[in-house]
Amino acid sequence: MCLGIPGRVVERFEEHGIQMGKVDFGGIIRRVCLECVPEIEISEYALVHAGFAIARINEDEARQVFAFLETMQELNELQATAEPVRLSHSIPPSQRQE
Amino acid sequence: MKYLDEYRDPQAAGRLVEAIHKITTRPWSIMEVCGGQTHTIVRYGIDELIPSGIRLIHGPGCPVCVTPLELVDRAVEIALRPDVIFCSFGDMLRVPGSQGDLFSASARGGDVRVVYSPLDCLSLAERNPDRTVVFFAVGFETTAPANAMAVVQARRRGLTNFSVLVSHVLVPPAIAAILSSPENRVQGFLAAGHVNVVMGYEEYQRLAEQFRIPIVVTGFEPLDLLEGVYRLVLMLEEGRIGVENQYVRAVHSAGNVRCQDLIHEVFETTDRKWRGIGTIPASGYRLQQKYSDMDAEQRFGVQLQTVVECADCISGLILQGIRKPHECAAFGSRCTPEHPLGATMVSSEGACAAWYNYRRLRIPTAVGAEE
């Protein structure tokens, strides 16, 4: 859970006094805080952890890391909905055995 | 070299493996700090590609694994309160406490939610003014900026119904504790790249000098790890101490200073108990006094009870690199990812889960026979 996930910044805006943005993670769009990467521009790539951008990275690196995280099934956190959990979800897909 | 065809660039991987064999003249014990690195090493068989004399020891860098049992119990206790919406990263929900996990709290009527970001909790708090939203703030330094920003923003937005249950842990004190242990066998470290994206590696230079060891800041992809091992073995063979940065694509020596400022605005260091290891001085973060009104432990007055771990679980020895997962009698039989006895089997970054997912069929134990 400590790994950053690369995504492409598709929108920037200010909200409650901080820099926020929408970031595209392979088709999943999430709201991300951009306050600590103020130099990043739309269409550039950010390394994002827990909805918070920690670095700007180049496109090649971003694509490579994202593909790797897909292989490792490390992208589940992007699906979190903040809805009450149900027991049918008790085993994360990454740990289900075939 | 059966694993090499799975690499993004098998030829580059082959060259690195060959180079590691060429420079290695004696046995070395290396610890990879990060659970994500452990996952990659086991998945890609990196420990089986390098010379058998190089022992890769899986370190304690899985925040889910080292969150103390007592704090999981405390989380469950808070989650069961009818006036609470308890939010967490998904990995924490199945970590067994002594009285069940957060999923069982949900089954008993607790309102437990998985969030993508701690910042998502703030809008939940705004939409539910008659309830308190509590976020389980676990993680290493990589996660601290996001959690700190949630606290800062809650204050700025005047939210009085948001609090955090903090269990942050820090890498450098854990490295120092491992190196100070009389049982220590680790001679060099692969540091956790994404932690260093935030924190840089100047503090690691001091560690390297104090303990006279080499450290290589390393990424978590297979080629990163092979290169990290190569550079670390070269430093060991040449008797060099200090810090090298393999992960230059993302890490700078000073780290992200804005992130660090944010962390220091909200948190201060504190002694922290690590599950399976014990208390390590100044190895965690707690809220600064000025944010203590958002401290869930103070708000709910729940008391830490010392709880005894399951006697069958050796996760403490595994987290210190003293034992390997398959050396545990419960591995794969009484302890599986579906029914974990200890936290190292819960998280996909835990050493036991990684071994279970990728190695169990090759281990001649009862579980192998059952498959």
Side-chain angles (χ1 to χ4, degrees), chain B residues 303-323:
Chain B
Q303 293 299 312
L304 268 191
Q305 305 281 335
T306 301
V307 185
V308 179
E309 290 277 356
C310 167
D312 292 339
C313 178
I314 62 164
S315 60
L317 298 176
I318 287 162
L319 286 166
Q320 296 172 82
I322 295 168
R323 300 277 288 277

Side-chain angles (χ1 to χ4, degrees), chain B residues 147-157 262 265-266 291:
Chain B
N147 293 347
M149 182 56 92
V151 170
V152 168
Q153 282 299 94
R155 171 67 54 82
R156 197 177 286 170
R157 288 157 70 167
L262 188 56
E265 157 66 21
V266 172
Y291 292 108

Side-chain angles (χ1 to χ4, degrees), chain A residues 1-2 4 16 18 35-36 38 48-52 54 61 64 68 74 77 80 82 84-85 90 95 97, chain B residues 8 39 94 106 112-114 116-117 142-143 153 156-157 194 221-222 249 256 258 346-349 357 360:
Chain A
M1 61 162 279
C2 272
H16 300 292
I18 56 169
E35 189 70 11
C36 287
V48 179
H49 179 64
F52 194 90
I54 54 174
E61 169 72 1
Q64 182 182 310
F68 175 71
E74 288 279 2
E77 66 192 59
V85 298
S90 64
Q95 294 182 6
Q97 302 302 308
Chain B
R8 177 171 49 80
H39 192 179
R94 293 174 56 256
S106 168
V112 179
R113 307 191 186 199
V114 175
Y116 165 61
S117 168
T142 325
T143 319
Q153 282 299 94
R156 197 177 286 170
R157 288 157 70 167
H194 282 185
E221 293 182 71
R249 308 192 305 276
N256 186 324
R258 281 175 171 261
V346 175
S347 167
S348 63
E349 294 175 9
N357 285 332
R360 72 184 189 281

Side-chain angles (χ1 to χ4, degrees), chain B residues 11-55:
Chain B
Q11 288 178 338
R15 282 195 297 273
L16 279 166
V17 170
E18 197 179 322
I20 295 167
H21 279 267
K22 210 169 176 177
I23 60 170
T24 306
T25 65
R26 68 192 103 159
W28 299 109
S29 289
I30 291 170
M31 177 173 275
E32 85 275 5
V33 170
C34 165
Q37 292 170 330
T38 299
H39 192 179
T40 303
I41 286 168
V42 179
R43 162 76 174 76
Y44 284 84
I46 287 172
D47 50 335
E48 298 178 337
L49 289 171
I50 62 179
S52 56
I54 299 177
R55 183 180 161 89

